[in-house]
Amino acid sequence: MDRYSKVGKLVRDRIPQIIREDGAEPVIYTAAPEEYRDRLRDKLGEEVAEFLEADDESAPEELADVLEVVRALAADLGIDANQLEKIREAKEGERGGFTERIVWTGSR
């Protein structure tokens, strides 16, 4: 399936219910596993773009959306939130985090 010719987008699980509560009937289907992973990747890009465009007030909500998609992607790969955090901690222990705000401009 061509990633850019898809109809529709992946939405949160309760969105169809919310649409029904607003008086409309959503047209939906359940994505097959391969399509689901592909759409999660698309959704991650969408949510990151929204975060990058957000002001300081709305940034935390947008960042939470990014985290929700990251967790869904991890689950799709068979990794739970605890495992993902352990991987993150290991990388932080090996390479550090980003708390010191270091910007690399090259090597001599």
Side-chain angles (χ1 to χ4, degrees), residues 17-82:
Q17 176 186 344
I18 292 167
I19 292 169
R20 286 184 192 101
E21 289 169 358
D22 286 343
E25 185 58 34
V27 178
I28 60 172
Y29 69 93
T30 301
E34 184 178 322
E35 179 185 2
Y36 174 62
R37 184 173 290 176
D38 190 37
R39 286 189 181 265
L40 277 172
R41 289 172 181 254
D42 291 345
K43 190 63 154 183
L44 181 59
E46 175 188 326
E47 297 298 350
V48 167
E50 289 176 7
F51 170 74
L52 293 173
E53 293 175 9
D55 58 21
D56 286 351
E57 186 177 327
S58 61
E61 263 197 51
E62 298 302 340
L63 195 55
D65 289 342
V66 171
L67 183 57
E68 186 69 28
V69 177
V70 167
R71 286 183 173 176
L73 280 162
D76 188 59
L77 293 169
I79 302 166
D80 67 25
N82 290 331

Side-chain angles (χ1 to χ4, degrees), residues 86-97:
K86 285 179 184 173
I87 293 167
R88 188 206 64 77
E89 287 174 351
K91 288 192 84 164
E92 180 185 31
E94 180 182 313
R95 304 186 74 127

